[in-house]
Amino acid sequence: MKINIPVSKAKQLALHHTLKLSENTIAKTTMANNIITDFADVLLFIRLFIKETFSRKFEVREFFHQCFAIGYKSLPLVSVTGFIMGFVLTIQSRPALVSFGAVTMLPGMVAVSLIREMGPVITALICAGKIASGMGAELGSMKVTEQIEAMEVSSTHPMRFLVVTRVLAATFMIPLLILYADGLGIVGSWFGANIKGEVSLVLFFSQAFSHIGFVDLLPAVIKSFFFGAVIGLVGCYKGYNAGRGTESVGKAANSAVVLASLLVLVVDMIAVQITDML
Amino acid sequence: MKTNQSEELVKEPVKTDTKEAVIEITGLCKSFGGQEVLNNLSFKLFNGENLVVLGKSGSGKSVLIKCIVGLLKSDSGTIQVFNQDITKLTVKELGEVRQKIGFLFQSGALYDSMTVKENLEFPLRRMKEHVNQKEIDEKIKDVLENVGLADALDKMPSQLSGGMRKRISLARTIVVDPLIILYDEPTTGLDPVTSEEISLLINDVQKKYKTSSIIITHDIECARTTADRLIMLQDGQVYEKGSLNKFEKSTDELIMAFFK
Ligand SMILES: Nc1ncnc2c1ncn2[C@@H]1O[C@H](COP(=O)(O)OP(=O)(O)O)[C@@H](O)[C@H]1O
Ligand SMILES: [Mg+2]
């Protein structure tokens, strides 16, 4: 036993620190590397996606199957979301409009904000939560349990069969879901307005639509397509590139929701800038 | 008692006197990142035989057979399947070779979202052109009877037990009449009784469909039941090859560890 414990302890500490330092720098460089390879992976994925989308063979049946899965099965969730959006918006903006003496503006105002912004963005976020995570989990578990490889050895291109169909289905169905949510939002708004005061639904709708023009609808619909594409691409990318263990399925689903939601907001920001410039 | 039992299980060897190789691998190398998994591996699979590939977990057995069907790209070496080097084929040619190879995945790889019937239809519709529904139905009924699960037609994979899943995966593999079957750990995760059933099923398939097979396993009972010949992988190379008898009598530590 030696007595010079402090010295060895200092040494240990120093060693520990240098180790930690080098660990840190390694962690940083691998993180930078990861981001770069991640980005490269995404570009590769999109390139492959585009190539397979325009290949001659298209999996028609699977495409309609996915349209059904994405569109129809999201209806309850989107209905509730849309209704509540309209309802809340109406209840909250009513007092302000009353104080300006502009209650008659209510349906039009609600309709415009629903269709231009709230409907697309909130519905897309809800869909990111449901659809992107669903795709991430489904494709992720297919990857982990070798189902994707099984398809490949059965003369089926997994990118074509699984990814292209899902991304296109999301791109077409999510705009429809958004329009549907807009419609139910106006119904929700009518309910909200009817708590105080009596308006017929038909009158309410005609008042609402008299304020909506092509300029409100078109940019919203266009950006909805981008929301759909982003949600489908992110969900499929995360699932298709899941790791090799079971835990990577959960990771794929989770990171798909996070990234898809974030990208929906980014796309929205860009879309707003562009419509503003026009 | 124990030796008696295992002697009973030893199958009659299939005559491979023609010595015609259906798969011939020479100098196969494969690494992931810096990790060398296969390192200058060479062996042959002869027509009609069951070749058991032994090796401990992580020794690259799955990587090996995934290279054979082109699911993984090998770094170097040649893989001749029916005298065609699959490392040099175009996508279309590779697809044609794959039609002759059945692959039983370790996890079964049944499509979760499809019924048993749809699972079996999937490769049939995609690998064989010009088949009508009647032929498909008959074929499916036939293979399901062969694996002893004729009544599972409309079940979902999640409703099946582990052994049943293995049987259905095997049915899906043989439904397209492959000439070569690659089994990836067919008995892993099953109880001894079910394992034995699957091993016997593998022999039945060999006899009935005249297939040549590579059976990857670390389950020694499965090897005893199915093997015509064995090779053992270690450090990415063939460590030992020969008959079951040779392996059983070996005094090598690594081999004895498997056969104790
Ligand atoms: N796609 C892959 N990417 C990276 N490493 C892999 C991959 N597939 C297998 N490996 C590695 O190769 C080694 C052999 O794996 P495998 O062939 O699955 O072993 P086993 O003999 O148990 O089947 C393991 O160390 C595994 O981590
Ligand atoms: Mg394996």
Side-chain angles (χ1 to χ4, degrees):
Chain A
M1 261 265 152
K2 284 189 179 166
I3 316 163
N4 56 352
I5 296 167
V7 177
S8 71
K9 200 152 201 186
K11 257 188 192 166
Q12 258 181 22
L13 257 172
L15 196 68
H16 182 78
H17 267 278
T18 45
L19 271 183
K20 212 163 179 197
L21 244 165
S22 59
E23 250 171 37
N24 268 347
T25 42
I26 290 171
K28 263 181 204 152
T29 48
T30 48
M31 212 174 102
N33 265 340
N34 277 348
I35 291 173
I36 292 168
T37 48
D38 242 16
F39 190 65
D41 275 355
V42 172
L43 289 185
L44 259 161
F45 186 79
I46 292 176
R47 209 193 78 172
L48 200 62
F49 166 76
I50 290 171
K51 185 181 150 228
E52 287 306 326
T53 305
F54 293 104
S55 76
R56 272 162 297 143
K57 281 188 190 154
F58 183 68
E59 303 279 355
V60 183
R61 258 183 68 164
E62 181 64 12
F63 171 73
F64 284 112
H65 179 84
Q66 286 305 322
C67 284
F68 177 78
I70 291 172
Y72 183 71
K73 296 207 172 137
S74 307
L75 274 184
L77 185 71
V78 169
S79 309
V80 174
T81 311
F83 185 88
I84 292 179
M85 262 188 321
F87 187 82
V88 169
L89 200 60
T90 306
I91 304 274
Q92 292 215 320
S93 34
R94 194 187 174 92
L97 288 180
V98 168
S99 68
F100 286 120
V103 189
T104 45
M105 296 282 290
L106 187 71
M109 203 212 75
V110 170
V112 168
S113 51
L114 263 182
I115 283 169
R116 290 192 102 168
E117 191 56 34
M118 297 247 319
V121 172
I122 293 185
T123 313
L125 287 176
I126 289 280
C127 286
K130 180 171 164 58
I131 295 166
S133 72
M135 286 179 183
E138 191 188 7
L139 295 193
S141 69
M142 289 186 78
K143 169 92 185 242
V144 170
T145 58
E146 300 173 306
Q147 290 173 52
I148 292 184
E149 288 174 316
M151 277 187 181
E152 205 175 330
V153 294
S154 302
S155 306
T156 301
H157 203 301
M159 193 78 183
R160 209 179 282 157
F161 187 81
L162 296 171
V163 175
V164 171
T165 51
R166 279 173 173 72
V167 175
L168 291 185
T171 310
F172 288 112
M173 293 318 283
I174 286 177
L176 289 182
L177 285 173
I178 287 173
L179 286 179
Y180 169 76
D182 290 345
L184 268 186
I186 295 172
V187 174
S189 170
W190 174 71
F191 265 90
N194 252 9
I195 293 176
K196 296 177 180 165
E198 286 280 319
V199 210
S200 84
L201 182 61
V202 179
L203 183 62
F204 195 86
F205 256 83
S206 72
Q207 276 181 352
F209 279 113
S210 67
H211 285 84
I212 303 168
F214 200 58
V215 280
D216 299 307
L217 205 55
L218 188 68
V221 169
I222 291 176
K223 79 178 170 190
S224 303
F225 279 102
F226 282 94
F227 291 163
V230 159
I231 289 169
L233 271 173
V234 170
C236 288
Y237 170 75
K238 288 290 180 186
Y240 202 77
N241 289 293
R244 304 198 317 124
T246 352
E247 79 283 354
S248 44
V249 177
K251 257 190 218 157
N254 182 269
S255 58
V257 183
V258 174
L259 189 60
S261 311
L262 204 67
L263 285 183
V264 161
L265 293 177
V266 171
V267 168
D268 189 48
M269 194 179 78
I270 296 170
V272 167
Q273 296 273 314
I274 293 175
T275 15
D276 203 41
M277 280 192 307
L278 299 180
Chain B
M1 179 67 197
K2 175 84 187 153
T3 47
N4 249 341
Q5 198 184 10
S6 56
E7 260 166 28
E8 265 172 33
L9 291 180
V10 170
K11 62 182 283 201
E12 278 181 25
V14 167
K15 286 202 184 72
T16 55
D17 45 13
T18 49
K19 290 284 179 193
E20 176 200 346
V22 286
I23 296 182
E24 181 172 355
I25 293 177
T26 39
L28 182 64
C29 297
K30 173 74 188 170
S31 49
F32 294 102
Q35 179 201 7
E36 277 200 341
V37 179
L38 301 177
N39 181 13
N40 200 11
L41 178 80
S42 308
F43 71 88
K44 288 179 185 174
L45 172 72
F46 294 113
N47 196 2
E49 75 171 342
N50 276 352
L51 175 68
V52 165
V53 177
L54 289 174
K56 57 178 197 233
S57 280
S59 57
K61 305 181 299 288
S62 301
V63 169
L64 165 65
I65 52 172
K66 281 180 185 171
C67 285
I68 294 177
V69 286
L71 281 172
L72 289 173
K73 272 212 164 61
S74 57
D75 299 338
S76 62
T78 60
I79 303 170
Q80 304 264 353
V81 180
F82 296 114
N83 298 320
Q84 276 182 299
D85 186 354
I86 67 116
T87 57
K88 297 196 175 63
L89 296 183
T90 63
V91 177
K92 191 161 170 275
E93 291 167 331
L94 183 61
E96 281 162 15
V97 175
R98 278 176 177 168
Q99 303 225 351
K100 300 175 192 156
I101 309 179
F103 199 122
L104 185 76
F105 287 87
Q106 189 166 346
S107 50
L110 291 177
Y111 306 126
D112 291 326
S113 56
M114 303 182 193
T115 64
V116 166
K117 180 160 188 267
E118 288 163 342
N119 260 286
L120 294 176
E121 268 184 21
F122 190 89
L124 263 181
R125 283 194 187 285
R126 278 158 191 281
M127 295 173 78
K128 305 244 181 246
E129 281 160 29
H130 323 296
V131 279
N132 59 39
Q133 190 60 45
K134 193 161 157 270
E135 284 167 334
I136 288 179
D137 288 343
E138 266 169 23
K139 187 80 198 166
I140 290 177
K141 194 164 156 268
D142 183 47
V143 288
L144 278 181
E145 269 164 17
N146 277 329
V147 300
L149 278 177
D151 51 352
L153 206 59
D154 295 316
K155 291 210 166 72
M156 294 302 282
S158 55
Q159 296 171 292
L160 305 174
S161 69
M164 287 161 88
R165 290 177 69 103
K166 273 280 151 64
R167 281 165 191 268
I168 300 295
S169 332
L170 182 54
R172 193 180 66 183
T173 308
I174 57 179
V175 80
V176 285
D177 301 317
L179 302 172
I180 300 173
I181 304 183
L182 310 174
Y183 296 91
D184 195 351
E185 308 203 2
T187 59
T188 301
L190 301 178
D191 61 87
V193 180
T194 315
S195 291
E196 186 61 28
E197 286 168 11
I198 298 287
S199 302
L200 292 172
L201 201 54
I202 291 175
N203 283 347
D204 287 349
V205 168
Q206 181 195 17
K207 250 187 246 144
K208 180 152 190 212
Y209 295 91
K210 306 261 180 299
T211 52
S212 328
S213 313
I214 295 180
I215 301 155
I216 283 180
T217 190
H218 49 222
D219 169 12
I220 215 62
E221 290 307 327
C222 170
R224 282 194 174 114
T225 311
T226 56
D228 295 312
R229 205 160 60 86
L230 296 92
I231 61 175
M232 184 168 149
L233 291 194
Q234 175 73 17
D235 301 327
Q237 285 177 327
V238 176
Y239 182 77
E240 179 66 285
K241 59 181 175 186
S243 66
L244 185 63
N245 216 342
K246 182 176 172 191
F247 272 74
E248 300 258 26
K249 294 207 171 93
S250 172
T251 51
D252 186 282
E253 263 179 39
L254 277 172
I255 296 175
M256 278 165 72
F258 269 98
F259 281 85
K260 65 169 176 260

PDB file of all heavy atoms in Angstrom, chain A residues 70-84:
ATOM      1  N   ILE A  70     -55.035   5.523 -45.234  1.00  0.00           N
ATOM      2  CA  ILE A  70     -54.676   6.864 -44.757  1.00  0.00           C
ATOM      3  C   ILE A  70     -55.912   7.742 -44.637  1.00  0.00           C
ATOM      4  O   ILE A  70     -56.130   8.403 -43.635  1.00  0.00           O
ATOM      5  CB  ILE A  70     -53.651   7.508 -45.712  1.00  0.00           C
ATOM      6  CG1 ILE A  70     -52.317   6.769 -45.594  1.00  0.00           C
ATOM      7  CG2 ILE A  70     -53.477   8.984 -45.413  1.00  0.00           C
ATOM      8  CD1 ILE A  70     -51.301   7.196 -46.625  1.00  0.00           C
ATOM      9  N   GLY A  71     -56.734   7.737 -45.689  1.00  0.00           N
ATOM     10  CA  GLY A  71     -57.871   8.652 -45.729  1.00  0.00           C
ATOM     11  C   GLY A  71     -58.984   8.231 -44.795  1.00  0.00           C
ATOM     12  O   GLY A  71     -59.300   8.913 -43.823  1.00  0.00           O
ATOM     13  N   TYR A  72     -59.539   7.076 -45.065  1.00  0.00           N
ATOM     14  CA  TYR A  72     -60.736   6.648 -44.345  1.00  0.00           C
ATOM     15  C   TYR A  72     -60.476   6.453 -42.858  1.00  0.00           C
ATOM     16  O   TYR A  72     -61.253   6.887 -42.021  1.00  0.00           O
ATOM     17  CB  TYR A  72     -61.234   5.345 -44.974  1.00  0.00           C
ATOM     18  CG  TYR A  72     -62.499   4.823 -44.376  1.00  0.00           C
ATOM     19  CD1 TYR A  72     -63.709   5.482 -44.603  1.00  0.00           C
ATOM     20  CD2 TYR A  72     -62.483   3.687 -43.578  1.00  0.00           C
ATOM     21  CE1 TYR A  72     -64.874   5.007 -44.047  1.00  0.00           C
ATOM     22  CE2 TYR A  72     -63.646   3.207 -43.017  1.00  0.00           C
ATOM     23  CZ  TYR A  72     -64.842   3.863 -43.252  1.00  0.00           C
ATOM     24  OH  TYR A  72     -65.991   3.394 -42.695  1.00  0.00           O
ATOM     25  N   LYS A  73     -59.341   5.847 -42.545  1.00  0.00           N
ATOM     26  CA  LYS A  73     -59.095   5.527 -41.147  1.00  0.00           C
ATOM     27  C   LYS A  73     -58.711   6.744 -40.316  1.00  0.00           C
ATOM     28  O   LYS A  73     -58.668   6.677 -39.098  1.00  0.00           O
ATOM     29  CB  LYS A  73     -58.016   4.447 -41.043  1.00  0.00           C
ATOM     30  CG  LYS A  73     -58.494   3.160 -41.685  1.00  0.00           C
ATOM     31  CD  LYS A  73     -57.852   1.935 -41.093  1.00  0.00           C
ATOM     32  CE  LYS A  73     -58.524   0.689 -41.643  1.00  0.00           C
ATOM     33  NZ  LYS A  73     -57.585  -0.354 -41.997  1.00  0.00           N
ATOM     34  N   SER A  74     -58.395   7.865 -40.976  1.00  0.00           N
ATOM     35  CA  SER A  74     -58.095   9.074 -40.209  1.00  0.00           C
ATOM     36  C   SER A  74     -59.340   9.929 -40.025  1.00  0.00           C
ATOM     37  O   SER A  74     -59.291  10.960 -39.343  1.00  0.00           O
ATOM     38  CB  SER A  74     -57.022   9.905 -40.918  1.00  0.00           C
ATOM     39  OG  SER A  74     -55.905   9.126 -41.196  1.00  0.00           O
ATOM     40  N   LEU A  75     -60.457   9.542 -40.667  1.00  0.00           N
ATOM     41  CA  LEU A  75     -61.644  10.403 -40.637  1.00  0.00           C
ATOM     42  C   LEU A  75     -62.122  10.773 -39.237  1.00  0.00           C
ATOM     43  O   LEU A  75     -62.359  11.956 -38.978  1.00  0.00           O
ATOM     44  CB  LEU A  75     -62.788   9.736 -41.424  1.00  0.00           C
ATOM     45  CG  LEU A  75     -62.794  10.011 -42.920  1.00  0.00           C
ATOM     46  CD1 LEU A  75     -64.012   9.378 -43.568  1.00  0.00           C
ATOM     47  CD2 LEU A  75     -62.769  11.503 -43.208  1.00  0.00           C
ATOM     48  N   PRO A  76     -62.280   9.814 -38.309  1.00  0.00           N
ATOM     49  CA  PRO A  76     -62.788  10.192 -36.992  1.00  0.00           C
ATOM     50  C   PRO A  76     -61.922  11.252 -36.312  1.00  0.00           C
ATOM     51  O   PRO A  76     -62.430  12.273 -35.826  1.00  0.00           O
ATOM     52  CB  PRO A  76     -62.731   8.876 -36.200  1.00  0.00           C
ATOM     53  CG  PRO A  76     -62.711   7.805 -37.213  1.00  0.00           C
ATOM     54  CD  PRO A  76     -62.062   8.372 -38.431  1.00  0.00           C
ATOM     55  N   LEU A  77     -60.621  11.010 -36.341  1.00  0.00           N
ATOM     56  CA  LEU A  77     -59.698  11.935 -35.694  1.00  0.00           C
ATOM     57  C   LEU A  77     -59.778  13.319 -36.315  1.00  0.00           C
ATOM     58  O   LEU A  77     -59.876  14.348 -35.629  1.00  0.00           O
ATOM     59  CB  LEU A  77     -58.280  11.368 -35.836  1.00  0.00           C
ATOM     60  CG  LEU A  77     -57.177  12.125 -35.129  1.00  0.00           C
ATOM     61  CD1 LEU A  77     -57.310  11.943 -33.630  1.00  0.00           C
ATOM     62  CD2 LEU A  77     -55.812  11.632 -35.595  1.00  0.00           C
ATOM     63  N   VAL A  78     -59.769  13.346 -37.652  1.00  0.00           N
ATOM     64  CA  VAL A  78     -59.791  14.629 -38.359  1.00  0.00           C
ATOM     65  C   VAL A  78     -61.134  15.327 -38.148  1.00  0.00           C
ATOM     66  O   VAL A  78     -61.197  16.549 -38.032  1.00  0.00           O
ATOM     67  CB  VAL A  78     -59.478  14.403 -39.849  1.00  0.00           C
ATOM     68  CG1 VAL A  78     -59.752  15.645 -40.662  1.00  0.00           C
ATOM     69  CG2 VAL A  78     -58.032  13.975 -40.015  1.00  0.00           C
ATOM     70  N   SER A  79     -62.218  14.551 -38.064  1.00  0.00           N
ATOM     71  CA  SER A  79     -63.534  15.164 -37.829  1.00  0.00           C
ATOM     72  C   SER A  79     -63.552  15.898 -36.498  1.00  0.00           C
ATOM     73  O   SER A  79     -63.962  17.066 -36.426  1.00  0.00           O
ATOM     74  CB  SER A  79     -64.621  14.086 -37.781  1.00  0.00           C
ATOM     75  OG  SER A  79     -64.530  13.263 -38.897  1.00  0.00           O
ATOM     76  N   VAL A  80     -63.112  15.228 -35.479  1.00  0.00           N
ATOM     77  CA  VAL A  80     -63.113  15.847 -34.153  1.00  0.00           C
ATOM     78  C   VAL A  80     -62.232  17.089 -34.148  1.00  0.00           C
ATOM     79  O   VAL A  80     -62.619  18.156 -33.661  1.00  0.00           O
ATOM     80  CB  VAL A  80     -62.621  14.833 -33.089  1.00  0.00           C
ATOM     81  CG1 VAL A  80     -62.478  15.512 -31.743  1.00  0.00           C
ATOM     82  CG2 VAL A  80     -63.571  13.658 -33.008  1.00  0.00           C
ATOM     83  N   THR A  81     -61.049  16.948 -34.741  1.00  0.00           N
ATOM     84  CA  THR A  81     -60.128  18.082 -34.801  1.00  0.00           C
ATOM     85  C   THR A  81     -60.773  19.270 -35.494  1.00  0.00           C
ATOM     86  O   THR A  81     -60.742  20.396 -34.987  1.00  0.00           O
ATOM     87  CB  THR A  81     -58.856  17.689 -35.579  1.00  0.00           C
ATOM     88  OG1 THR A  81     -58.383  16.457 -35.073  1.00  0.00           O
ATOM     89  CG2 THR A  81     -57.787  18.741 -35.438  1.00  0.00           C
ATOM     90  N   GLY A  82     -61.345  19.026 -36.665  1.00  0.00           N
ATOM     91  CA  GLY A  82     -61.940  20.105 -37.449  1.00  0.00           C
ATOM     92  C   GLY A  82     -63.061  20.788 -36.687  1.00  0.00           C
ATOM     93  O   GLY A  82     -63.109  22.022 -36.588  1.00  0.00           O
ATOM     94  N   PHE A  83     -63.944  19.980 -36.132  1.00  0.00           N
ATOM     95  CA  PHE A  83     -65.093  20.523 -35.412  1.00  0.00           C
ATOM     96  C   PHE A  83     -64.626  21.418 -34.268  1.00  0.00           C
ATOM     97  O   PHE A  83     -65.083  22.558 -34.119  1.00  0.00           O
ATOM     98  CB  PHE A  83     -65.946  19.364 -34.875  1.00  0.00           C
ATOM     99  CG  PHE A  83     -67.210  19.818 -34.222  1.00  0.00           C
ATOM    100  CD1 PHE A  83     -68.368  19.996 -34.968  1.00  0.00           C
ATOM    101  CD2 PHE A  83     -67.255  20.088 -32.861  1.00  0.00           C
ATOM    102  CE1 PHE A  83     -69.542  20.421 -34.376  1.00  0.00           C
ATOM    103  CE2 PHE A  83     -68.417  20.509 -32.255  1.00  0.00           C
ATOM    104  CZ  PHE A  83     -69.564  20.676 -33.016  1.00  0.00           C
ATOM    105  N   ILE A  84     -63.699  20.913 -33.471  1.00  0.00           N
ATOM    106  CA  ILE A  84     -63.247  21.675 -32.305  1.00  0.00           C
ATOM    107  C   ILE A  84     -62.534  22.957 -32.723  1.00  0.00           C
ATOM    108  O   ILE A  84     -62.730  24.022 -32.121  1.00  0.00           O
ATOM    109  CB  ILE A  84     -62.344  20.793 -31.407  1.00  0.00           C
ATOM    110  CG1 ILE A  84     -63.187  19.684 -30.778  1.00  0.00           C
ATOM    111  CG2 ILE A  84     -61.669  21.621 -30.324  1.00  0.00           C
ATOM    112  CD1 ILE A  84     -62.428  18.736 -29.910  1.00  0.00           C
TER     113      ILE A  84
END
